[in-house]
Amino acid sequence: MIWGKEKIKTILPHREPFLFIDKVTKIEKGKHITAEKFIDPGSDFLKGHFPDQPVMPGVLTIEAMAQAGIILFYTTKPKVARSHPYYYFAKVQAEFMSPIFPNDTLILDAYNIKILDYAGIIKTVATIKGKIVAEATCSFAVKKKK
């Protein structure tokens, strides 16, 4: 483990129950990060999605990918990211290949396609036990807080 939850909380504005990164296990500064999220069977979102066969909602999978993207942005533009700006995701192209179940560990690999000081494009690949379950390319903007 490179970064645990306490370090992640200094980077991401999110908190439980909306924090979807448990740890960062690999960093290639400005190029790529690998993060993990354990899908706890007790998570509230699983209780209603779906009671007979719980799966992680796709929108929360995209949120986990976005949070991995913010961490990648931090490794690329630390001075901007340390100011705790607002992050706005403009466009997301996502594809889902397989459901994500309780007790799965979601591995998120985020890649820098193009990151500028206040915008970027990131590709994230989500896997479970080496099998791709989702992919997304996200474009985003970063705005300084006033």
Side-chain angles (χ1 to χ4, degrees):
M1 178 173 61
I2 294 177
W3 289 348
K5 214 169 230 186
E6 293 311 309
K7 172 66 176 178
I8 291 164
K9 285 180 178 181
T10 68
I11 299 165
L12 293 177
H14 309 81
R15 295 296 178 264
E16 290 86 357
F18 214 74
L19 179 61
F20 294 108
I21 303 291
D22 294 330
K23 59 185 168 181
V24 176
T25 58
K26 183 178 180 182
I27 298 170
E28 292 178 69
K29 188 177 176 183
K31 295 180 182 181
H32 165 249
I33 66 110
T34 301
E36 292 185 11
K37 171 62 181 167
F38 173 70
I39 310 307
D40 186 327
S43 297
D44 282 340
F45 61 81
L46 292 171
K47 293 174 187 170
H49 196 270
F50 299 95
D52 296 332
Q53 187 172 12
V55 296
M56 184 173 183
V59 69
L60 296 183
T61 303
I62 291 172
E63 178 62 31
M65 293 171 152
Q67 291 179 20
I70 292 171
I71 293 170
L72 177 59
F73 179 80
Y74 177 90
T75 71
T76 309
K77 300 290 181 180
K79 185 176 178 181
V80 175
R82 281 190 196 110
S83 72
H84 300 287
Y86 296 111
Y87 296 94
Y88 298 96
F89 280 76
K91 183 178 179 184
V92 177
Q93 288 183 280
E95 186 176 351
F96 299 92
M97 290 77 160
S98 181
I100 301 165
F101 297 106
N103 291 310
D104 282 340
T105 297
L106 190 61
I107 308 298
L108 301 159
D109 284 292
Y111 301 93
N112 178 347
I113 304 300
K114 184 173 188 173
I115 293 180
L116 307 169
D117 283 345
Y118 294 98
I121 301 170
I122 292 172
K123 178 175 178 154
T124 306
V125 178
T127 60
I128 296 171
K129 296 180 184 171
K131 179 182 174 187
I132 297 175
V133 296
E135 293 181 330
T137 301
C138 304
S139 58
F140 64 94
V142 179
K143 183 179 179 186
K144 291 182 185 180
K145 288 185 180 178
K146 293 181 181 185

